[in-house]
Amino acid sequence: MEAMGRFVQKSRQDGSLVDTGGLLPSKDSFRVRLAKGAITTTDGPFTESKEVIGGWAILKAEIEGRGAAHCP
């Protein structure tokens, strides 16, 4: 978390950060799957998850992939 905080601050300062946002906690979320043309949903929480995506960031970069290469 600290590394991401420093990364976001640096990206704001150098002008490469376009937008960021957080996601809902696992207990308030649901999973959507598309398989064989059928959509199914599963309500959270997902306690079996080892990793959870907590947010997102949009970066602008002059060279493709450069923003992701510097993300912690």
Side-chain angles (χ1 to χ4, degrees), residues 12-42:
R12 276 193 186 118
Q13 291 171 345
D14 69 20
S16 63
L17 183 66
V18 176
D19 198 9
T20 62
L23 303 177
L24 293 173
S26 176
K27 69 178 183 66
D28 298 325
S29 64
F30 60 93
R31 180 179 296 144
V32 178
R33 289 187 179 169
L34 172 63
K36 298 180 183 178
I39 297 174
T40 59
T41 60
T42 306

